[in-house]
Amino acid sequence: MGGKSDNNLLFSSFTILLLVSFSAAFSSPFELQTLLPRPLPSPPTLSWHDSELESSSLEETSQLDPVTSNTTLQVQLELHHVDALSSEDTPELLFDLRLQRDALRSETIYSLVSKAVAQNPPRAAGRRSGFSSSIISGLAQGSGEYFTRLGVGTPARNLYMVLDTGSDVVWVQCSPCKKCYSQSDPIFDPTKSRSFAGIPCGSALCRSLDASGCSRRRMCLYQVSYGDGSVTFGDFSTETLSFRRTSVGPVALGCGHDNEGLFVGAAGLLGLGRGRLSFPSQTASRFNRKFSYCLVDRSASSKPSSLIFGDAAIPRGALFTPLLTNPKLDTFYYVELLGISVGGTRVPKITPSLFTMDQEGNGGVIIDSGTSVTRLNQPAYIAMRDAFRVGARNLKRAPDFSLFDTCFDLSGQTSVKVPTVVLYFRGADVSLPATNYLIPVDSSGTFCFAFAGTMSGMTIIGNIQQQGFRVAYDLAGSRVGFAPRGCA
């Protein structure tokens, strides 16, 4: 009997010790930060601070500062969100449309990568695949989320151009139009530009296209098709682009005479990807292969978002992480994510292996300016979400909203405490402001955790999580940097 009593006493002591340890761990204080709940922002309006852009839609090249191939320079541009092109819509409708675009974009990015990985061997440089409606090339969805205003041609005509780090080919709508969508500016007429020139079929530039063809005059034709069914087709040409009072050229771009799909408002697209035909690659000697942007939260700041090219794009104090390369696809910016903390504690189930890109190009993590909501592969998302729910257990829960499964009713609140969130990239610990992960989704005080899960093994870091940081792309140094408070 004594032995049994001793065993019971030992078991009881062990149970008490286990409960005490669990209670201590569970009750350990979460690291919190303050969120000031703000409603969905009103539709933005277009107001360009650079008076040079407002002075005239035409500007003679002789008034510009020409850039030769041996000159390095720097320029800064304002960025605006695409919602500014639909300013008559309600905040709720604009947010709903943003989530619809986001779903299309993320799914087609996954499709693009999976198709590239499935190619064995990968597409050889310069191989021309011909035109096909099934081709997905460059950008994985019909438009990015931010645009700027720049000059095209000589004399320069100022046009709204979407910017996107997930796209390579630069293009504008051109007359005559077989089919053109509605845009805010007049359609660009290449016959009125002294610097416009066609590209011969046999040239290296033409061979660099994923899908190219020849006109009857043996000039290069291009086609870019997107996962949402959008397409642009026309002449592949060279042209001068003007940034404020600085001209850069020649730049290879598509002059689209047949453009169909979800493109709205802007005249074309400036691809900022890593491929051979992207704007940073084509202007490497002009801007030292460096650019950065800062995307502001419209509900919290009146400052405009901005884009900088050149050495000035790299801010002091930025934390850098090395760029990785997908052997099958050169467009996207891959980085190494090692883990995530919530409330000051690393989430144990989120290990580096969840974010590893294998030798075939599967998985991995990309930074994308055109995706809004960060998508984590499902195991990482569930672990992060569950940790956040524990840390935010004092907040009143609200029903799920769209792709968000962790929402809160903050109506009537002027200030709340929420768990901190830190993304641990190799060499760069990025601590997110509360507004970068708990966002308003309606006008009734509902806020949702702005991450989502995906069954794809690939993770996408979206622009909501990038807000307020200057995100610097130093391609010469093969690295990406994050500078908090970089919008100043």
Side-chain angles (χ1 to χ4, degrees):
M1 291 292 293
K4 185 175 181 180
S5 176
D6 290 342
N7 287 339
N8 287 337
L9 180 61
L10 183 63
F11 177 77
S12 299
S13 300
F14 176 76
T15 302
I16 292 172
L17 181 62
L18 185 64
L19 290 173
V20 169
S21 299
F22 178 79
S23 176
F26 187 79
S27 62
S28 60
F30 267 80
E31 187 177 283
L32 304 173
Q33 62 178 326
T34 301
L35 172 71
L36 304 178
R38 295 183 175 90
L40 280 172
S42 300
T45 56
L46 287 178
S47 57
W48 297 90
H49 290 68
D50 185 0
S51 59
E52 295 173 10
L53 292 180
E54 301 296 336
S55 61
S56 174
S57 63
L58 294 176
E59 188 169 16
E60 291 291 339
T61 301
S62 60
Q63 296 176 320
L64 300 172
D65 302 322
V67 179
T68 67
S69 60
N70 296 321
T71 305
T72 59
L73 72 153
Q74 57 196 43
V75 294
Q76 179 169 336
L77 303 171
E78 285 186 21
L79 298 181
H80 286 262
H81 194 269
V82 293
D83 287 354
L85 298 176
S86 305
S87 58
E88 295 181 358
D89 293 328
T90 64
E92 290 82 1
L93 177 58
L94 289 175
F95 186 73
D96 182 62
L97 292 173
R98 184 179 187 182
L99 292 183
Q100 290 182 40
R101 292 193 305 268
D102 212 46
L104 277 172
R105 183 180 180 87
S106 60
E107 288 305 315
T108 49
I109 283 178
Y110 299 139
S111 175
L112 175 61
V113 173
S114 65
K115 288 182 179 182
V117 168
Q119 289 180 345
N120 192 18
R123 184 183 68 87
R127 192 182 80 192
R128 299 190 312 192
S129 56
F131 294 144
S132 167
S133 60
S134 64
I135 293 172
I136 300 177
S137 171
L139 178 66
Q141 192 255 340
S143 67
E145 289 289 292
Y146 291 86
F147 66 93
T148 191
R149 196 156 174 78
L150 53 86
V152 179
T154 307
R157 181 172 293 277
N158 292 319
L159 302 172
Y160 292 127
M161 296 283 284
V162 169
L163 298 108
D164 211 304
T165 53
S167 173
D168 290 329
V169 177
V170 181
W171 61 268
V172 295
Q173 289 201 113
C174 286
S175 63
C177 280
K178 179 180 179 182
K179 187 171 184 179
C180 286
Y181 60 87
S182 176
Q183 66 177 54
S184 301
D185 297 300
I187 303 293
F188 179 71
D189 185 351
T191 65
K192 295 182 179 179
S193 171
R194 297 193 301 271
S195 51
F196 182 87
I199 295 174
C201 279
S203 69
L205 281 174
C206 192
R207 293 195 303 271
S208 295
L209 287 164
D210 286 348
S212 63
C214 282
S215 70
R216 293 178 181 177
R217 297 180 292 109
R218 304 297 300 170
M219 302 304 288
C220 188
L221 301 175
Y222 82 101
Q223 174 179 298
V224 179
S225 300
Y226 302 100
D228 59 11
S230 301
V231 62
T232 175
F233 166 81
D235 301 311
F236 200 49
S237 318
T238 60
E239 184 56 285
T240 295
L241 301 183
S242 303
F243 299 82
R244 296 191 174 181
R245 300 189 62 82
T246 299
S247 61
V248 178
V251 174
L253 54 78
C255 188
H257 301 291
D258 187 346
N259 316 287
E260 306 172 33
L262 298 183
F263 311 112
V264 178
L269 187 144
L270 190 73
L272 298 177
R274 297 175 74 184
R276 296 181 300 276
L277 292 176
S278 73
F279 184 75
S281 294
Q282 289 196 59
T283 59
S285 61
R286 279 79 157 180
F287 297 116
N288 285 339
R289 303 185 70 199
K290 298 173 184 176
F291 72 94
S292 66
Y293 55 72
C294 193
L295 311 176
V296 301
D297 178 2
R298 298 199 317 273
S299 65
S301 174
S302 59
K303 296 178 182 178
S305 299
S306 63
L307 172 73
I308 301 175
F309 291 104
D311 290 338
I314 309 302
R316 294 179 180 177
L319 300 174
F320 284 93
T321 186
L323 277 170
L324 306 179
T325 301
N326 188 325
K328 298 291 185 71
L329 191 65
D330 58 5
T331 297
F332 298 121
Y333 293 94
Y334 282 85
V335 292
E336 189 175 2
L337 183 61
L338 302 177
I340 300 173
S341 72
V342 174
T345 302
R346 293 282 283 259
V347 181
K349 293 183 180 180
I350 300 182
T351 60
S353 61
L354 292 178
F355 307 112
T356 301
M357 177 172 54
D358 66 24
Q359 293 182 348
E360 297 299 318
N362 295 293
V365 179
I366 68 169
I367 295 178
D368 183 39
S369 65
T371 300
S372 291
V373 178
T374 289
R375 263 83 171 175
L376 300 171
N377 60 64
Q378 196 71 2
Y381 172 70
I382 291 174
M384 180 189 189
R385 177 203 65 189
D386 290 350
F388 188 84
R389 286 177 175 178
V390 171
R393 60 187 179 274
N394 293 328
L395 299 180
K396 182 180 178 181
R397 288 292 297 272
D400 297 352
F401 183 95
S402 183
L403 78 166
F404 302 124
D405 64 4
T406 301
C407 300
F408 304 91
D409 179 3
L410 303 184
S411 57
Q413 301 286 333
T414 58
S415 174
V416 296
K417 294 292 185 179
V418 298
T420 58
V421 173
V422 180
L423 305 180
Y424 295 97
F425 299 98
R426 181 167 296 281
D429 298 349
V430 179
S431 181
L432 301 180
T435 51
N436 287 30
Y437 54 87
L438 205 57
I439 63 171
V441 298
D442 59 25
S443 298
S444 303
T446 304
F447 282 68
C448 294
F449 190 52
F451 289 82
T454 173
M455 297 309 294
S456 166
M458 184 178 178
T459 289
I460 304 174
I461 307 297
N463 59 49
I464 291 175
Q465 281 65 44
Q466 299 174 46
Q467 286 178 168
F469 292 88
R470 180 154 295 280
V471 184
Y473 295 79
D474 179 4
L475 306 188
S478 191
R479 58 182 187 162
V480 175
F482 303 89
R485 298 177 297 279
C487 294

